[in-house]
Amino acid sequence: MKSFTINTTQELLDHFKSLRNSTSFRFRGHSVENWDLVPKAGRDPFKKRSDQEIFRNWKRRADGLIENRYSSDMDLMTIAQHYGLATRLLDWSLNPLIATYFACCDKFESNGQLFIYKSSVTSSDQIKNPFKTERETIIMIQPVGTNSRLNNQMGYFTLHNPPNFGLNSELVYDIIIPYQLKREMIFMLNQFGINNLSIFPDIEGLTQHLNWFYTNYEYWTNNDFI
């Protein structure tokens, strides 16, 4: 996999500019470099269990907690994934700034890693059963907008069969963000409207954003507004 390291925030913005004339790229951020592109269900301790069984139990208990009704397991799985269930999905975004946020928002002692993947896309309504795709394949899924978090994050998913089948393609490359740049990157993203509140448009996101703002209150020379 091709990889390079940036040295300034401007270098990263310049690279994004070079990708602007294409809609084929999807982005994913890791707050620590050298993590594999493998879904949670394919990692310890979940890889020792059946992700289909985990999902079946989630679906049974979540039925009374989901306001809308969805016709396919694919759509239900995107909801489960977004709330943290171990599934065979891996999160991506159409927005490079959102992926950069996830690469920089914590683990400030470690380098962040931003993955960029050029791929074709399959609509989620074309996959009724996410457990019956061709073995040893990875499909980029464009989901239905099942919740506000998914919509605000411009979310996409790769669907992995089996779950521990990692993405390792010549169509993927990564950018290393040195740990010394991560805090400055977060302040820059906030100026662009990318923060906890915009990514998680709910009470939890608002709470986390305000905690972050007041923790870093001295950063701003004009403290009159948020």
Side-chain angles (χ1 to χ4, degrees), residues 4 9 63 75 78 99-100 118 143 162 188-189 194 205 216 223 225:
F4 64 91
T9 56
D63 185 62
D75 290 336
T78 65
T100 303
K118 187 173 185 179
M188 179 193 73
L189 292 170
I194 305 296
N216 296 282
N223 301 315
F225 58 90

Side-chain angles (χ1 to χ4, degrees), residues 8 10 23 30 37 40 47 54 59 66 84 95 100 107 121 129 132 154 159 170 202 209 218-219 224:
T8 66
Q10 189 60 49
T23 60
H30 289 181
L37 291 170
K40 185 186 291 188
K47 69 179 184 181
I54 294 171
K59 186 171 65 169
I66 300 174
N95 187 334
T100 303
K107 308 292 185 184
V121 173
N129 189 335
K132 291 187 176 180
M154 302 183 73
L159 173 62
E170 61 182 16
D202 48 36
H209 176 63
E218 302 302 324
Y219 178 84
D224 294 336

